[in-house]
Amino acid sequence: MAIDSLQARIRKMKNPSMVCLCPTYEALPAGVKDAAREAHGETLLGAAAAYEAFCCAILDALQDVLPAVSVVSGAFSALGADGVAAMQRVLAYARQLGYYVLIDLMRADLFSAAEDMAAACFGQLAVGGQRFTPYACDGVLTTAYLGSDAIRPFTQYCKDGKNVFLIARSSNKSAREVQDLLSGDRVMHQVMADLAMRWSGDLYGRNGYSEIGLAVGATNSAVLKRLREKYDRLFFLVPGYGAQGGYAKDAAGAFDKFGHGAVVMAGRLITNAWQKHSETGDDFARCAREAAVKMREQLTSYVTVI
Amino acid sequence: MAIDSLQARIRKMKNPSMVCLCPTYEALPAGVKDAAREAHGETLLGAAAAYEAFCCAILDALQDVLPAVSVVSGAFSALGADGVAAMQRVLAYARQLGYYVLIDLMRADLFSAAEDMAAACFGQLAVGGQRFTPYACDGVLTTAYLGSDAIRPFTQYCKDGKNVFLIARSSNKSAREVQDLLSGDRVMHQVMADLAMRWSGDLYGRNGYSEIGLAVGATNSAVLKRLREKYDRLFFLVPGYGAQGGYAKDAAGAFDKFGHGAVVMAGRLITNAWQKHSETGDDFARCAREAAVKMREQLTSYVTVI
């Protein structure tokens, strides 16, 4: 899939939002932890099994509501190899269910490590005569502080229908410490946007959006709006909705006049919605679905996806 | 270990350099690949077994020459869970041999993913009543584009003897696209240095160096020298030696007048040294050792570690 198919899925489901899967053990429902503990004890394998069961149940419950999912690799990687194995299964399951699948890499490698990681996500990693794609997905979110050497290994797959999103203005509070600094007549997050434009070359979809997009948080609506106006050919991932304080009204600034060109990301708002309703979280998947439906309603009260 | 113990190991071995383990399948010696293929076929598990055998043999051969090792997580992560399992064993083996062990994370996470990743490297990741440290190490190299929210989870362990290094000026060619931009009277890599100083608080070792350091490439000796003069309390990791074009004369600018405060990193120069001597690389570990010894000679002809 590429940026056109992401937009097509959003239009089909009339929902410009996606869920971030960023599990952490303590925040999982008791039932999920109990089942994993019974099978594997209190081990990293047990925690990984709990992550997988939790995420796959949420993917099941949301498949007719949400067009896309983002898998936060750091959350799974923290569990070591067992966590990464669980992440690979979650990625495969999300693709099987038809989601547009993004990996939030939160990383940027160089040289052979970058080439190999890009092949692992988008292409075919060669082991002698065999080929593997352990992290098959539709797009990655990465960071461009290292410049084009770290990004080109990924963008070379854009012509094959893959997307690369650069962190421009993240949604966390300390984002301003670096990303809002002024350089000449541009702030740093604009520098990232300019790099995305420069690296886009002729990589544009039918809707006019580049296969290389940006992550721009919903927590600073002025920045979001200004970037939307200036960079009308860059698709935006918009994190920070809900738990981090961004709202539908703020996120609305990310969209063009057709309600295109952006997708709003929510993590805890959806995945931890059960915590508002029960102690044990036995109905976590239903709560996640309700939260996702409510988020769709809130967004579409400000944004009409044509 | 903390920054004092890294310096102590450097002094003891009279060698301010470290090896970067960044394997890629195609570049491995034939014998290593053959053995892994016989045991596991041409699979990701086979590739991971080859990475592990190769890296552990190099760690064996270099243990009396080099004080420290950097493990590039992206290279191993590209193989999926099998690669990460191999990385965990390489990390454990390096610590067992007494190396100062750095993980080149090349990533920065936020929120629970950052807390969990920091616990996985430096602390104790809780799974119910059990505690795990899948990536036990002495320091991490990370990126501060997201600001303090992404770094604090790691620096909170500095008082327990852990180090955090921020990418300031990387050694790759495109580093300048972002890192050399001017912001006010500072270039971006200075912004990173200033953040490292601000976050250092009272985290200084006996030698006066902060537990929070910087990565500054050997490929731009003017930048390296200028940063050394201005930031005399920040320890430098210096990548880009050898294969990327940095030399001992350039790297020398990273050190203070006692030959302290920096460690030069080399990857392919050491790990792929066999490629200059043979087709098959049966003697890759001996070649790595010779390259490391030669690098020590070159460095110590410019820098005297007192």
Side-chain angles (χ1 to χ4, degrees):
Chain A
M1 292 208 218
I3 208 71
D4 284 333
S5 39
L6 172 57
Q7 185 67 65
R9 277 188 64 78
I10 290 170
R11 291 180 72 177
K12 189 176 150 202
M13 304 185 88
K14 298 286 178 208
N15 186 1
S17 70
M18 71 197 293
V19 61
C20 296
L21 297 177
C22 182
T24 182
Y25 191 78
E26 286 310 311
L28 294 179
V32 173
K33 287 192 279 198
D34 290 346
R37 189 171 51 231
E38 243 168 70
H40 306 287
E42 286 185 332
T43 60
L44 292 172
L45 178 61
Y51 282 22
E52 182 181 349
F54 180 71
C55 292
C56 289
I58 287 188
L59 289 172
D60 277 334
L62 271 50
Q63 61 179 305
D64 61 333
V65 179
L66 283 175
V69 58
S70 166
V71 177
V72 179
S73 73
F76 290 88
S77 297
L79 299 183
D82 295 321
V84 174
M87 182 174 87
Q88 290 176 242
R89 289 189 292 269
V90 169
L91 290 168
Y93 191 62
R95 278 168 73 87
Q96 193 185 314
L97 293 184
Y99 286 93
Y100 175 97
V101 179
L102 180 83
I103 303 182
D104 195 340
L105 283 178
M106 301 296 269
R107 71 184 300 145
D109 292 285
L110 288 169
F111 311 115
S112 63
E115 295 288 344
D116 287 354
M117 185 60 84
C121 293
F122 287 165
Q124 296 193 305
L125 189 74
V127 180
Q130 300 301 313
R131 301 282 182 276
F132 300 94
T133 317
Y135 305 122
C137 64
D138 301 300
V140 297
L141 174 56
T142 181
T143 166
Y145 186 71
L146 301 170
S148 50
D149 295 334
I151 307 301
R152 201 182 312 110
F154 289 91
T155 55
Q156 69 185 336
Y157 293 97
C158 285
K159 61 182 185 330
D160 308 324
K162 302 296 182 182
N163 296 133
V164 178
F165 297 91
L166 311 179
I167 301 173
R169 180 59 165 75
S170 56
S171 55
N172 57 305
K173 277 194 181 143
S174 72
R176 62 189 161 71
E177 292 171 353
V178 177
Q179 301 166 24
D180 290 354
L181 293 177
L182 200 65
S183 175
D185 56 350
R186 302 181 297 171
V187 277
M188 280 307 296
H189 54 256
Q190 273 185 283
V191 169
M192 296 302 166
D194 287 339
L195 288 174
M197 286 302 297
R198 192 203 300 173
W199 297 335
S200 289
D202 56 358
L203 294 170
Y204 291 92
R206 282 189 315 275
N207 296 321
Y209 281 102
S210 168
E211 304 289 3
I212 304 175
L214 298 181
V216 185
T219 46
N220 190 327
S221 57
V223 165
L224 191 53
K225 216 170 162 185
R226 205 154 51 226
L227 286 177
R228 174 73 300 156
E229 280 163 16
K230 193 167 160 62
Y231 299 94
D232 57 359
R233 302 194 72 181
L234 296 180
F235 202 97
F236 291 175
L237 300 182
V238 186
Y241 189 89
Q244 288 175 58
Y247 293 99
K249 198 180 155 191
D250 308 313
F255 294 85
D256 69 20
K257 61 183 172 180
F258 305 111
H260 293 181
V263 58
V264 181
M265 309 170 91
R268 289 166 281 171
L269 178 79
I270 294 174
T271 60
N272 297 1
W274 63 271
Q275 292 175 349
K276 287 186 188 165
H277 299 282
S278 74
E279 285 272 308
T280 56
D282 293 339
D283 56 348
F284 73 89
R286 191 180 55 77
C287 293
R289 187 187 163 80
E290 278 172 17
V293 168
K294 193 173 160 198
M295 180 180 170
R296 178 178 60 186
E297 279 167 20
Q298 290 169 333
L299 280 174
T300 51
S301 75
Y302 287 94
V303 180
T304 305
V305 182
I306 295 176
Chain B
M1 291 207 220
I3 207 71
D4 283 333
S5 39
L6 172 57
Q7 186 67 65
R9 278 188 62 79
I10 291 169
R11 292 180 72 177
K12 189 176 152 202
M13 304 184 88
K14 299 284 178 209
N15 185 1
S17 69
M18 70 196 294
V19 62
C20 296
L21 298 176
C22 183
T24 182
Y25 191 78
E26 286 311 311
L28 294 179
V32 172
K33 287 193 279 199
D34 290 346
R37 188 171 51 231
E38 243 169 71
H40 306 287
E42 286 185 332
T43 60
L44 292 172
L45 179 61
Y51 282 21
E52 182 181 348
F54 180 72
C55 293
C56 288
I58 287 187
L59 289 172
D60 277 333
L62 269 50
Q63 60 180 305
D64 62 332
V65 178
L66 282 175
V69 59
S70 167
V71 177
V72 179
S73 72
F76 290 87
S77 296
L79 300 182
D82 294 322
V84 174
M87 181 174 86
Q88 290 177 245
R89 288 190 292 270
V90 169
L91 289 169
Y93 191 62
R95 279 167 71 89
Q96 193 186 313
L97 293 184
Y99 285 94
Y100 175 96
V101 179
L102 180 84
I103 303 181
D104 195 340
L105 284 178
M106 301 297 268
R107 70 185 300 146
D109 291 285
L110 288 170
F111 311 114
S112 62
E115 295 288 344
D116 287 354
M117 185 59 85
C121 293
F122 288 165
Q124 297 194 304
L125 188 73
V127 179
Q130 300 301 312
R131 301 281 182 276
F132 301 93
T133 316
Y135 305 122
C137 64
D138 302 301
V140 297
L141 174 56
T142 181
T143 166
Y145 185 71
L146 302 170
S148 50
D149 295 334
I151 307 302
R152 203 182 312 110
F154 289 91
T155 54
Q156 67 184 338
Y157 292 97
C158 284
K159 61 182 185 330
D160 308 324
K162 302 296 181 181
N163 295 132
V164 178
F165 297 91
L166 311 179
I167 301 172
R169 181 58 165 76
S170 55
S171 56
N172 57 304
K173 276 194 182 143
S174 72
R176 64 189 160 72
E177 291 170 352
V178 177
Q179 301 165 26
D180 290 354
L181 294 177
L182 200 66
S183 175
D185 57 349
R186 303 181 297 171
V187 276
M188 281 306 296
H189 55 257
Q190 273 184 283
V191 169
M192 297 301 167
D194 287 340
L195 288 174
M197 286 303 296
R198 192 203 299 174
W199 297 335
S200 288
D202 57 358
L203 295 169
Y204 291 92
R206 282 189 316 276
N207 296 321
Y209 281 102
S210 168
E211 304 291 1
I212 304 174
L214 298 181
V216 186
T219 46
N220 190 326
S221 57
V223 165
L224 191 53
K225 216 169 163 184
R226 206 154 50 225
L227 286 177
R228 174 74 298 156
E229 279 163 17
K230 192 167 162 64
Y231 300 94
D232 58 359
R233 301 193 73 181
L234 297 180
F235 203 98
F236 291 175
L237 300 181
V238 186
Y241 189 90
Q244 289 176 55
Y247 293 99
K249 197 179 156 191
D250 308 311
F255 295 85
D256 69 18
K257 61 183 173 180
F258 306 110
H260 293 181
V263 58
V264 181
M265 309 169 92
R268 288 166 282 172
L269 178 79
I270 294 174
T271 60
N272 296 2
W274 62 271
Q275 293 175 349
K276 287 187 188 162
H277 300 282
S278 73
E279 284 273 308
T280 56
D282 293 339
D283 56 348
F284 73 89
R286 191 180 55 77
C287 293
R289 186 187 163 80
E290 278 173 17
V293 168
K294 193 173 160 197
M295 180 180 170
R296 178 178 61 185
E297 279 168 19
Q298 289 169 333
L299 280 174
T300 50
S301 75
Y302 288 94
V303 179
T304 307
V305 182
I306 294 176

